[in-house]
Amino acid sequence: MSRILPLDFIRGLAILGILLLNITAFGLPKAAYLNPAWQGLPSTRDFLVWAAMDLFAQAKFLTLFAILFGAGLQLLLPRGKRWIQSRLSWLVIFGFLHALLLWEGDILLAYGLTGLVTWRMIRDVPGTKQLFNTGLMLYLIGSAVLIILGMASGPNPNSSWLAGAADVQYETFWRTQGGWEAMANRLDMLGSALMALMAQYGWQLAGLMMVGAALMRSGWLRGTWSLQHYRRTGVMLVLIGMLIEAISIALQWHVKWEFRWAGFFLQVPRELSAPLQSLGYAALCFGWWPQLQRFRLTLMVSAVGRMALSNYLLQTLICTTLFNHFALFNHFDRLQLLLIVPLVWAVNLLFSLFWLRIFRQGPVEAVWRQLTGWGVEKKPVEDDAHHKG
């Protein structure tokens, strides 16, 4: 299977972009991730950094990665049922170990579990338009659940939105001390994440994967449409997404990040804008690919995309070492944390570039492929490959 070079670049952008948000989760208490007013109204600097990240990055790169994951499932269909199930099952195991032993913000477990359900839906829905519309419907259901959860929630925020001094002190303790205490807390947060996956996020994740598969079927994610189409579509989608997001930011500021409004109702505009902006980013990459591919930095970002799993885990290793083992957790504000991001990016870029000069795959990708093969008997492609569509 030949590689789709712009997709490697877009996947690399997604992995690097995810760190713009994850750095807050690594370096600050969990309440700070979505709520800049977790310790009272933010300073002007903190607000501007939060607003910029909300406008350009929050949920956008995760959404883009989920769409690309679904596109990958479409490409894997010819390998057959046993290969796909083995591959996704190992991803679930990787995610569980990552969440339990290293970092509670893992996404691999959710992607693996959702993928085990969604790949069959991708296979069995015959029409591209039907697949796209089904994915869109699932995503909108997941977004609507946020409104239901907001109506059902009480007016008083919990510690995940507005942390008290004791909550922050305890979180700092178990993160920096590690051991069984940290593992127990990560396990508890993993349970909460799985509940959220079943109740709300799983709908959205499955929908995005189906949208990605449909766009791959149509050729849109293969770059087969005209450059003018990608450029016009990219600009339009990004501007519409930013307009929706800007309104949400202004309203969250207006309500002073009140729990029910900012924590639930005003998350919905972000969820609606994220697919638009993320697809807009992808479209701009396709539209300007003839120019982008001339740059050495593009080659390096593409290398990150080819080693997406290895680089995602590498970011965890670097950041948990820095903030947990070196006890720098809760020592920096949002802007200072963002200044650390380019340093981690540099490691991702250089590691990927030099590794792929010697090997065909990233280290974790190679292990993943080997483990997948162990779970599959060597035999011809299965009959269900004809569902490729």
Side-chain angles (χ1 to χ4, degrees):
M1 182 187 300
S2 60
R3 301 198 69 88
I4 304 171
L5 298 181
L7 275 191
D8 286 334
F9 176 73
I10 296 168
R11 191 181 301 106
L13 282 182
I15 287 294
L16 297 175
I18 285 170
L19 185 61
L20 290 170
L21 288 311
N22 281 353
I23 196 68
T24 301
F26 283 120
L28 289 174
K30 60 183 179 181
Y33 185 73
L34 291 176
N35 182 16
W38 66 283
Q39 283 188 311
L41 293 180
S43 65
T44 300
R45 184 173 86 169
D46 219 38
F47 167 74
L48 290 176
V49 173
W50 169 83
M53 289 300 99
D54 225 50
L55 186 62
F56 295 105
Q58 180 70 45
K60 282 69 175 179
F61 292 108
L62 274 174
T63 296
L64 181 57
F65 196 71
I67 290 171
L68 296 179
F69 192 89
L73 290 178
Q74 174 66 34
L75 292 175
L76 285 174
L77 288 183
R79 290 188 175 273
K81 170 182 175 182
R82 291 176 62 83
W83 175 273
I84 296 174
Q85 290 190 159
S86 177
R87 183 175 177 84
L88 292 172
S89 297
W90 279 109
L91 186 63
V92 169
I93 294 172
F94 289 159
F96 176 76
L97 293 175
H98 180 230
L100 183 65
L101 301 177
L102 294 174
W103 187 50
E104 64 286 346
D106 168 78
I107 62 172
L108 305 178
L109 179 60
Y111 278 59
L113 290 173
T114 306
L116 282 169
V117 176
T118 306
W119 83 265
R120 294 177 180 274
M121 300 167 68
I122 293 171
R123 180 195 65 182
D124 294 338
V125 175
T128 300
K129 184 176 181 180
Q130 183 182 359
L131 181 62
F132 183 91
N133 290 339
T134 302
L136 179 61
M137 179 189 68
L138 291 177
Y139 187 82
L140 291 176
I141 289 173
S143 300
V145 170
L146 279 173
I147 299 176
I148 297 172
L149 292 174
M151 295 173 64
S153 68
N156 298 321
N158 54 36
S159 61
S160 65
W161 184 259
L162 200 60
D167 298 314
V168 173
Q169 185 177 18
Y170 177 62
E171 187 174 352
T172 302
F173 166 76
W174 67 258
R175 285 184 183 274
T176 55
Q177 296 302 309
W180 291 108
E181 189 79 14
M183 194 176 297
N185 277 276
R186 286 194 291 265
L187 186 61
D188 181 63
M189 295 172 76
L190 177 59
S192 298
L194 289 175
M195 290 290 291
L197 181 68
M198 290 185 289
Q200 187 264 330
Y201 183 51
W203 294 90
Q204 292 181 309
L205 195 52
L208 291 171
M209 290 179 185
M210 296 181 77
V211 166
L215 292 174
M216 179 57 70
R217 282 189 193 179
S218 72
W220 198 87
L221 280 176
R222 294 180 183 271
T224 59
W225 296 42
S226 71
L227 295 180
Q228 291 74 20
H229 163 81
Y230 285 117
R231 292 172 184 176
R232 289 195 302 267
T233 302
V235 171
M236 179 183 67
L237 290 177
V238 169
L239 289 179
I240 293 173
M242 289 177 63
L243 176 61
I244 296 171
E245 187 65 46
I247 294 171
S248 173
I249 291 170
L251 290 174
Q252 288 186 69
W253 174 82
H254 178 71
V255 301
K256 302 295 188 291
W257 294 276
E258 190 273 332
F259 175 54
R260 294 178 73 179
W261 277 98
F264 293 99
F265 302 135
L266 293 177
Q267 296 294 319
V268 175
R270 177 190 295 137
E271 302 300 326
L272 297 178
S273 69
L276 301 177
Q277 250 177 281
S278 62
L279 288 175
Y281 292 160
L284 290 175
C285 292
F286 280 117
W288 294 100
W289 181 248
Q291 290 76 25
L292 287 171
Q293 64 181 334
R294 301 172 187 169
F295 297 100
R296 183 171 179 81
L297 181 60
T298 300
L299 174 66
M300 298 175 74
V301 174
S302 298
V304 172
R306 289 178 59 186
M307 295 171 47
L309 180 56
S310 295
N311 279 294
Y312 174 71
L313 295 175
L314 178 60
Q315 290 175 358
T316 294
L317 289 174
I318 294 171
C319 292
T320 53
T321 299
L322 181 65
F323 296 111
N324 296 353
H325 297 290
F326 289 168
L328 293 178
F329 181 77
N330 202 25
H331 276 59
F332 304 105
D333 64 19
R334 292 177 189 272
L335 180 59
Q336 291 167 333
L337 288 172
L338 279 183
L339 296 177
I340 296 172
V341 170
L343 302 178
V344 182
W345 283 351
V347 176
N348 284 138
L349 292 165
L350 294 173
F351 170 64
S352 301
L353 184 66
F354 287 114
W355 183 275
L356 290 178
R357 285 182 178 178
I358 304 172
F359 305 100
R360 294 179 62 251
Q361 289 182 298
V364 184
E365 284 79 6
V367 172
W368 188 15
R369 186 181 183 88
Q370 186 67 43
L371 292 171
T372 299
W374 286 352
V376 181
E377 295 179 6
K378 292 185 178 181
K379 60 181 182 179
V381 175
E382 298 191 21
D383 293 338
D384 63 356
H386 75 273
H387 291 279
K388 178 180 177 181

